[in-house]
Amino acid sequence: MPKDINLQRYLREYGDVFSTDGDILFCKVCSVKVNAEKKFTVTQHLKTNKHEMLAARRKVESKSSEYTHQLFTASNKKSVFSKDLCKALMTANIPVHKISNTEFRKFLEKYTLHAVPSESTLRKTYINDCYDECMSEIRQYITGNKIWVSIDETTDVEGRYIANVVVGTLLSDGPGKIFLLTTEVLEKANYSTITKLFDNAMFLLWPNSIRHNDVLLFLSDAAPYMKKAGDTIKVLYPKIIHVTCLAHGLHRVAEEVRVNYPKVDKLVSSVKQIFLKAPSRTVLFKTVNPGIPLPPEPILTRWGTWIEATSYYCKYFSKIRDVPNLIFIYSNYGFLPTKIKQLETQGVKLSKTIKEITQTKKKIEEVSSEVGVAIKKKLRYVLEKNRGFETMMKISMILTGDSESMDGLPEELTGDDLKFYKYAPMTSTDVERSFSRYKNLLSNNRRSFEIENL
């Protein structure tokens, strides 16, 4: 007897329990395919505890509400419910193995009326599908748009060199969307590995043919190997402008302030140690000074936090507020953390970013003391080394109507390209944020992740 006739017979005999695409028999109650070569295997499936339990629930629930059964996709023969469940777990950063929890499974089966797949089924069958779907959405959104790319690397808790590639669209009428495109392990961090990563990421984005002329901006930190990688990338991507992160640049200026005031730095460090490992002192401080927040705990790698700490001491500690160094730092450089936060804001016009840097430069150049001169030199050094910044200033002046000359811009850039820089970012903070997500995933009790799964 032909296979299709057999399958149709099961549909007639068992009503709405099964569906078929002509090749397989699918149980709509359990959301699984059933071996239909012999009638015995079909009847055995109907007698299983799992099928009987789900069938009973389906019958009870249908009396009070319309039952929405599991859709069956004939093309890939996979459960839409399982795929959506897998996607929801990953999006919410819930480990897939949690699906094995008995109470969690009962809850899902009770209120969704679907058979909950096993952990191995989700890993082997649906995780790759979710990834492919995500990549397809990114490619679809970026198609036809100009883009910017940002790359940075860090060392994770396993000691691996992890590099993230973030891409975003450049639109003429507003800020575009931002995507984490890929995460890769590098053997070492140098210009060669960064250049290869950049090109591999672009191939991942455009697998059929890389659109070299659609990449207009590359953002990174000011590490020498990043600058060398930027120069190499320009050979293959003729319209690209390499800008080093301005927020990071201002942090380097703030670090120069710290270096010039070792006694203040020692004060900040000492107070931090006093409260860091002494809860009793924290309680005492709150009792004596109920209206004053606790002293900050600056972290040198977090941009501008040391300046914020000195501002706190100048403002709240009456016994030390008359220390000249604190007053000098607070009055002349206390604005730096605010400027850094403004530069970190997403969706800001290029002209506003340039204005913030111009105002910062003006304020710093007003200080004429010996230390002030050293800080001015540091800022000038940071901006002069950032060759792309000067190019972006010229583009900003054209966009705001302050200039009509395209002298000094890359020859490959056309007038039509310039409009896409209106909301161009000037910091690499988006890729820094992606590392926070990465380290959240690789927590102390989730150390068995392979990089492919990450």
Side-chain angles (χ1 to χ4, degrees):
M1 184 180 294
K3 184 177 182 180
D4 185 50
I5 295 177
N6 244 342
L7 295 176
Q8 293 299 327
R9 187 184 70 182
Y10 292 136
L11 296 185
R12 291 193 299 271
E13 184 173 349
Y14 297 108
D16 194 38
V17 176
F18 297 109
S19 64
T20 182
D21 64 346
D23 291 324
I24 68 168
L25 188 68
F26 184 78
C27 177
K28 295 191 288 184
V29 176
C30 303
S31 300
V32 296
K33 60 182 180 181
V34 180
N35 187 347
E37 292 182 2
K38 295 182 180 180
K39 186 175 181 179
F40 170 76
T41 58
V42 177
T43 56
Q44 280 295 100
H45 171 77
L46 295 174
K47 293 177 182 179
T48 60
N49 291 334
K50 176 182 175 180
H51 180 89
E52 290 179 346
M53 178 186 68
L54 293 175
R57 287 179 181 171
R58 182 185 184 191
K59 185 176 181 179
V60 171
E61 292 293 330
S62 63
K63 294 179 181 179
S64 58
S65 62
E66 182 180 356
Y67 171 73
T68 304
H69 64 76
Q70 174 66 40
L71 295 175
F72 173 63
T73 307
S75 59
N76 57 22
K77 303 176 181 63
K78 293 180 181 178
S79 165
V80 176
F81 169 75
S82 297
K83 180 181 176 182
D84 289 345
L85 175 61
C86 182
K87 184 177 181 180
L89 291 173
M90 291 192 296
T91 303
N93 192 20
I94 300 174
V96 177
H97 70 81
K98 294 292 186 182
I99 205 69
S100 301
N101 181 276
T102 303
E103 291 301 319
F104 189 34
R105 292 180 68 86
K106 287 181 180 179
F107 173 83
L108 291 174
E109 288 175 349
K110 178 179 180 180
Y111 291 103
T112 65
L113 299 179
H114 286 292
V116 178
S118 65
E119 175 191 351
S120 61
T121 299
L122 291 181
R123 291 191 186 279
K124 296 176 182 178
T125 310
Y126 297 101
I127 285 182
N128 283 340
D129 286 355
C130 291
Y131 170 77
D132 292 337
E133 183 181 279
C134 181
M135 287 303 303
S136 178
E137 290 176 358
I138 293 175
R139 293 187 185 112
Q140 184 177 359
Y141 183 83
I142 285 180
T143 297
N145 288 321
K146 306 293 184 181
I147 68 167
W148 58 267
V149 183
S150 185
I151 297 179
D152 199 5
E153 59 84 22
T154 189
T155 305
D156 68 9
V157 292
E158 294 293 326
R160 297 172 296 200
Y161 290 105
I162 302 296
N164 281 1
V165 181
V166 170
V167 299
T169 51
L170 293 169
L171 307 177
S172 59
D173 56 350
K177 286 188 177 181
I178 301 169
F179 305 96
L180 173 61
L181 185 61
T182 185
T183 297
E184 290 192 17
V185 176
L186 305 179
E187 292 182 7
K188 57 179 68 175
N190 57 34
Y191 88 95
S192 178
T193 55
I194 294 297
T195 303
K196 290 178 181 178
L197 173 61
F198 187 100
D199 210 40
N200 290 341
M202 295 303 97
F203 182 76
L204 181 65
L205 185 60
W206 293 300
N208 297 324
S209 178
I210 297 178
R211 302 178 64 87
H212 295 84
N213 288 330
D214 284 350
V215 188
L216 300 184
L217 182 62
F218 175 43
L219 296 164
S220 72
D221 59 26
Y225 66 86
M226 281 292 188
K227 293 181 180 179
K228 191 173 181 180
D231 292 337
T232 306
I233 290 168
K234 288 179 183 178
V235 177
L236 297 175
Y237 300 84
K239 293 187 177 183
I240 204 167
I241 299 174
H242 181 206
V243 177
T244 57
C245 177
L246 292 178
H248 187 251
L250 288 190
H251 173 66
R252 292 170 65 192
V253 173
E255 279 295 282
E256 186 70 16
V257 177
R258 184 178 69 86
V259 169
N260 278 274
Y261 289 97
K263 291 184 178 180
V264 175
D265 186 34
K266 186 176 181 180
L267 167 67
V268 173
S269 178
S270 298
V271 175
K272 178 180 176 180
Q273 292 175 7
I274 287 172
F275 289 99
L276 188 61
K277 296 182 179 180
S280 59
R281 293 172 184 164
T282 301
V283 173
L284 179 61
F285 181 90
K286 290 181 177 179
T287 303
V288 177
N289 305 288
I292 299 177
L294 283 170
E297 298 177 1
I299 300 173
L300 295 184
T301 54
R302 289 189 179 177
W303 301 340
T305 55
W306 188 87
I307 295 285
E308 287 181 332
T310 61
S311 299
Y312 169 90
Y313 297 135
C314 186
K315 184 176 181 180
Y316 288 112
F317 280 91
S318 58
K319 292 183 179 180
I320 62 174
R321 71 188 310 168
D322 295 328
V323 176
N325 289 347
L326 279 175
I327 297 174
F328 177 82
I329 296 171
Y330 178 71
S331 60
N332 291 290
Y333 304 111
F335 68 94
L336 281 176
T338 301
K339 290 296 181 184
I340 291 174
K341 289 179 181 178
Q342 289 173 344
L343 291 175
E344 291 175 339
T345 306
Q346 294 178 334
V348 177
K349 286 184 178 180
L350 174 62
S351 58
K352 185 175 180 180
T353 301
I354 299 296
K355 183 179 179 181
E356 296 293 349
I357 292 296
T358 303
Q359 291 175 347
T360 300
K361 185 179 179 182
K362 183 178 179 181
K363 284 186 177 182
I364 289 178
E365 289 182 342
E366 289 175 352
V367 186
S368 58
S369 66
E370 182 179 347
V371 173
V373 171
I375 306 302
K376 281 189 283 187
K377 287 182 178 179
K378 184 66 175 182
L379 179 60
R380 289 174 184 170
Y381 174 81
V382 168
L383 295 180
E384 287 172 1
K385 286 289 183 179
N386 193 350
R387 290 175 291 179
F389 175 68
E390 184 178 351
T391 303
M392 296 300 286
M393 285 188 66
K394 292 177 181 178
I395 292 175
S396 178
M397 292 177 68
I398 294 173
L399 291 174
T400 55
D402 296 327
S403 175
E404 297 180 357
S405 173
M406 293 187 63
D407 294 340
L409 298 182
E411 294 181 1
E412 293 78 7
L413 281 179
T414 66
D416 186 61
D417 291 327
L418 298 188
K419 66 183 180 183
F420 296 108
Y421 287 98
K422 187 174 182 179
Y423 288 88
M426 294 286 280
T427 71
S428 59
T429 51
D430 292 301
V431 73
E432 295 284 351
R433 292 185 181 107
S434 72
F435 286 130
S436 298
R437 299 288 297 274
Y438 174 88
K439 291 173 181 177
N440 184 39
L441 286 173
L442 203 65
S443 55
N444 290 333
N445 60 343
R446 298 174 74 181
R447 298 284 287 276
S448 60
F449 261 129
E450 295 181 1
I451 194 64
E452 290 78 9
N453 292 333
L454 275 168

